[in-house]
Amino acid sequence: MIRVLIADDQGMVRTGFGVFLSAQPDIEVVGEAADGAQAIERAAALAPDVVLMDVRMPVMDGLEATRRLLSGSGGPKVLILTTFDLDDYVYEALRAGASGFLLKDASAAQLAEAVRVVAAGDALIAPAVTRRLIREFARLGGPRAPEVRRLGGLTERETEVLTLVAQAMSNQEIAGKLVVAEQTVKSHVGRVLMKLGLRDRAQAIVYAYETGLVRPGE
């Protein structure tokens, strides 16, 4: 069972998401939170696998709550609840360690699938969101903290796979481009994350741009 905590200041959103997710055979909603501070407190008590985290909440916003939840090891996956007008939050949410984004107007089926994807350790970042992330990197003026030494620990093929991951390509798309099996791509991605000490594909995208491996416009 995938244990889920829903953090949103709107009661109707929490109830709606909770009712549907609870009806799924492999998902259990273990709790709710009306603000970021409650989300941290209840995550500590309930140990969810995934936290659905709204950005705009009173007391403590979702970005700060995400940073605190993921500051140590072994924390839950965080799936940010967002709307298309929150461009400014995309970059900071990924840097805080969020595993992806879910639009608040997503269908019930998309909601359940998003929870499953993130719980499995994959990132949920639509191409449209990635384009906004790239624009943000361009606005910030390029790489912030090059770490060539760490990047040098990757093989040529692993570096190539990381570059394609940063372009928001799926494992299937990468496999087609490199003419290899999808399972081979999964293995490469896993080794990249392990070698670079990254949580998931979302952090890999941020890392690729911050080190200058991939630059906006490429």
Side-chain angles (χ1 to χ4, degrees), residues 171-172 174-176 178-188:
N171 286 345
Q172 185 178 20
I174 295 172
L178 300 181
V179 196
V180 298
E182 189 172 345
Q183 185 58 47
T184 300
V185 174
K186 288 183 179 180
S187 297
H188 285 313

Side-chain angles (χ1 to χ4, degrees), residues 76-153:
K77 305 291 185 182
V78 174
L79 184 58
I80 297 290
L81 298 172
T82 187
T83 56
F84 274 126
D85 64 342
L86 295 179
D87 288 3
D88 292 345
Y89 295 111
V90 174
Y91 174 77
E92 288 303 328
L94 285 177
R95 293 201 83 235
S99 293
F101 300 85
L102 180 70
L103 296 178
K104 281 194 172 183
D105 61 358
S107 69
Q110 289 172 328
L111 169 62
E113 183 58 25
V115 168
R116 294 184 182 108
V117 166
V118 169
D122 291 327
L124 187 78
I125 308 178
V129 173
T130 302
R131 286 193 291 272
R132 287 152 59 196
L133 176 64
I134 291 170
R135 285 201 302 271
E136 181 68 4
F137 273 109
R139 186 182 71 79
L140 292 170
R144 281 189 176 184
E147 297 183 55
V148 178
R149 183 181 59 80
R150 287 179 66 194
L151 194 58

Side-chain angles (χ1 to χ4, degrees), residues 3-213:
R3 296 167 56 82
V4 176
L5 173 68
I6 302 172
D8 194 294
D9 64 336
Q10 297 180 39
M12 290 183 64
V13 171
R14 297 196 305 272
T15 299
F17 283 2
V19 167
F20 177 76
L21 290 175
S22 295
Q24 302 302 302
D26 57 340
I27 297 175
E28 177 187 7
V29 176
V30 296
E32 299 180 2
D35 59 59
Q38 280 189 6
I40 293 173
E41 176 185 325
R42 292 183 182 173
L46 300 170
D49 300 306
V50 177
V51 176
L52 291 179
M53 184 80 75
D54 187 23
V55 173
R56 293 176 173 172
M57 293 187 290
V59 183
M60 180 187 297
D61 67 32
L63 294 181
E64 181 59 27
T66 297
R67 290 188 192 97
R68 297 192 187 190
L69 277 176
L70 304 180
S71 60
S73 60
K77 305 291 185 182
V78 174
L79 184 58
I80 297 290
L81 298 172
T82 187
T83 56
F84 274 126
D85 64 342
L86 295 179
D87 288 3
D88 292 345
Y89 295 111
V90 174
Y91 174 77
E92 288 303 328
L94 285 177
R95 293 201 83 235
S99 293
F101 300 85
L102 180 70
L103 296 178
K104 281 194 172 183
D105 61 358
S107 69
Q110 289 172 328
L111 169 62
E113 183 58 25
V115 168
R116 294 184 182 108
V117 166
V118 169
D122 291 327
L124 187 78
I125 308 178
V129 173
T130 302
R131 286 193 291 272
R132 287 152 59 196
L133 176 64
I134 291 170
R135 285 201 302 271
E136 181 68 4
F137 273 109
R139 186 182 71 79
L140 292 170
R144 281 189 176 184
E147 297 183 55
V148 178
R149 183 181 59 80
R150 287 179 66 194
L151 194 58
L154 301 182
T155 66
E156 183 176 346
R157 178 47 61 93
E158 288 166 352
T159 301
E160 188 175 16
V161 168
L162 175 57
T163 300
L164 296 176
V165 166
Q167 294 170 5
M169 294 180 68
S170 67
N171 286 345
Q172 185 178 20
E173 291 169 333
I174 295 172
K177 185 175 181 65
L178 300 181
V179 196
V180 298
E182 189 172 345
Q183 185 58 47
T184 300
V185 174
K186 288 183 179 180
S187 297
H188 285 313
V189 172
R191 284 195 293 271
V192 167
L193 297 180
M194 180 185 66
K195 287 183 177 182
L196 298 179
L198 303 175
R199 177 184 291 266
D200 52 31
R201 293 170 83 100
Q203 286 196 337
I205 291 174
V206 173
Y207 180 88
Y209 280 95
E210 290 199 327
T211 57
L213 175 65

